[in-house]
Amino acid sequence: MTGERPIDRRRALLMGTGALGLMLTLGAQGRPPRRAASHWGVDYGAATDPVLARRCTLLVLEPHHARPIAPLRGPGGTLLGYVSFGEVEKSRPYVAALDKAGALRAPNPHWPDARLADLRHAAWREELIERAIPAILALGYDGIFIDTMDNAEAMERADPDAAGMIAAGAALIAAVRRRFPTIRIMLNRGYAVLPEVTRHIDAVLGEAMASRWNFAERRYEMLSDADWAWQADRLRAARAANPALTLATLDYWDPADTRTVAALYARERAAGFLPYVATLALDRLLPEPRG
């Protein structure tokens, strides 16, 4: 996907509820442990800063940019490739075949260039497990970052014909783990499926935990304490089920306001989370303010 940022496809769908970012103390059941994460980042741009990238213990990238990724890996670093489970961009080469097979549903109403994926359909599961994920791993990535899993709940609530999407989403993640037992898997939100998949993933992300972009007013804003606690409770319940699970957060704010950015980092760390604060675009790495 050239010049297209994965975060944009989800942003309008959730309208600030959030969905994407990450980092972790990787190491879950059956996978070799990794050193504790101290820095992490997510960059969907095509020109990732290699100096900042190599500082990250874990880095999430858009894998479809034509570039080598070895220069972006720091000592002991882990690289994850973005993959959307809940929808498919119309530019993907396999869209026509999936559409013909009946594996795609209506366009995302807020992002018409993406079609919602039927998580129950065998053709979509096969595309992910047999082709899309292997292609990412073949580029040298250590694992995947799963996005748009919140679509399962949204579709099931909105359409009686979409019954079973949540269960299918959980089964799909379990199938990915069976097929790729040693890769690193991070899930962005997906709270409806999370209780069923904690043993299959290495990390979970709470996006827009304390702050987000307000689309109507076109500005960054703080979320309420209740909104923050809603996600925090679900993240902590997941780690109670799998103590090896890493809990990461992503907040959005103007990097020029270093005082607020530093406060966001401090808040999330004090709660036991691994934070990252970025701009809405997620198209470049931003260092944490010093002091």
Side-chain angles (χ1 to χ4, degrees), residues 18-35:
L20 198 1
L22 32 89
M23 185 54 230
L24 53 173
T25 307
L26 287 171
Q29 301 133 323
R31 272 84 74 193
R34 298 289 178 95
R35 64 190 178 94

Side-chain angles (χ1 to χ4, degrees), residues 210-249:
S211 61
R212 70 181 179 189
W213 175 258
N214 184 315
F215 280 85
E217 299 181 14
R218 301 190 62 80
R219 64 179 178 85
Y220 294 103
E221 67 179 9
M222 290 294 177
L223 290 161
S224 70
D225 289 345
D227 287 332
W228 184 92
W230 187 90
Q231 285 204 74
D233 288 347
R234 282 152 182 79
L235 294 174
R236 288 166 175 158
R239 186 153 63 185
N242 175 6
L245 195 65
T246 295
L247 309 180
T249 63

Side-chain angles (χ1 to χ4, degrees), residues 41 51 55 94 96 114 138-139 148 235 287:
V51 175
R55 295 177 186 172
Y94 42 77
L139 294 172
T148 66
L235 294 174

Side-chain angles (χ1 to χ4, degrees), residues 2-289:
T2 302
E4 194 174 1
R5 294 185 294 276
I7 190 66
D8 292 336
R9 295 192 301 278
R10 300 231 52 223
R11 188 72 50 201
L13 179 62
L14 297 175
M15 289 303 290
T17 306
L20 198 1
L22 32 89
M23 185 54 230
L24 53 173
T25 307
L26 287 171
Q29 301 133 323
R31 272 84 74 193
R34 298 289 178 95
R35 64 190 178 94
S38 55
H39 301 285
W40 77 275
V42 51
D43 181 3
Y44 295 128
T48 302
D49 184 328
V51 175
L52 292 178
R54 287 193 293 268
R55 295 177 186 172
C56 294
T57 309
L58 178 137
L59 180 60
V60 177
L61 301 168
E62 164 56 59
H64 297 285
H65 294 307
R67 61 176 175 189
I69 63 171
L72 305 178
R73 187 193 302 275
T78 296
L79 302 181
L80 299 183
Y82 174 96
V83 58
S84 173
F85 273 30
E87 59 192 53
V88 184
E89 303 84 12
K90 291 181 180 178
S91 61
R92 299 295 189 189
Y94 42 77
V95 165
L98 289 172
D99 194 21
K100 183 177 181 180
L104 300 181
R105 297 173 65 84
N108 180 331
H110 301 291
W111 191 262
D113 287 336
R115 294 276 300 277
L116 299 175
D118 191 334
L119 293 158
R120 305 165 300 184
H121 203 288
W124 179 227
R125 295 196 300 270
E126 181 181 0
E127 181 62 43
L128 286 172
I129 294 174
E130 301 301 331
R131 287 179 286 279
I133 295 173
I136 291 172
L137 300 177
L139 294 172
Y141 287 89
D142 303 296
I144 59 172
F145 172 74
I146 299 174
D147 197 22
T148 66
M149 188 53 77
D150 280 348
N151 288 10
E153 183 178 9
M155 286 187 285
E156 195 162 322
R157 286 185 173 184
D159 185 357
D161 291 334
M165 288 288 185
I166 294 172
L172 176 57
I173 293 174
V176 170
R177 173 54 71 202
R178 288 193 300 271
R179 176 69 171 77
F180 308 99
T182 63
I183 70 168
R184 304 287 153 171
I185 298 177
M186 183 164 190
L187 175 65
N188 184 23
R189 294 174 56 93
Y191 294 123
V193 306
L194 184 57
E196 301 301 321
V197 303
T198 53
R199 67 188 182 279
H200 301 306
I201 62 177
D202 301 281
V204 61
L205 172 71
E207 188 191 9
M209 283 286 293
S211 61
R212 70 181 179 189
W213 175 258
N214 184 315
F215 280 85
E217 299 181 14
R218 301 190 62 80
R219 64 179 178 85
Y220 294 103
E221 67 179 9
M222 290 294 177
L223 290 161
S224 70
D225 289 345
D227 287 332
W228 184 92
W230 187 90
Q231 285 204 74
D233 288 347
R234 282 152 182 79
L235 294 174
R236 288 166 175 158
R239 186 153 63 185
N242 175 6
L245 195 65
T246 295
L247 309 180
T249 63
L250 175 65
D251 286 301
Y252 297 102
W253 206 258
D254 180 357
D257 182 3
T258 57
R259 188 172 186 176
T260 301
V261 171
L264 287 165
Y265 273 101
R267 177 179 185 177
E268 305 297 11
R269 283 204 181 99
F273 303 136
L274 288 167
Y276 180 55
V277 182
T279 63
L280 177 70
L282 287 176
D283 59 355
R284 60 190 173 105
L285 290 173
L286 295 172
E288 180 177 354

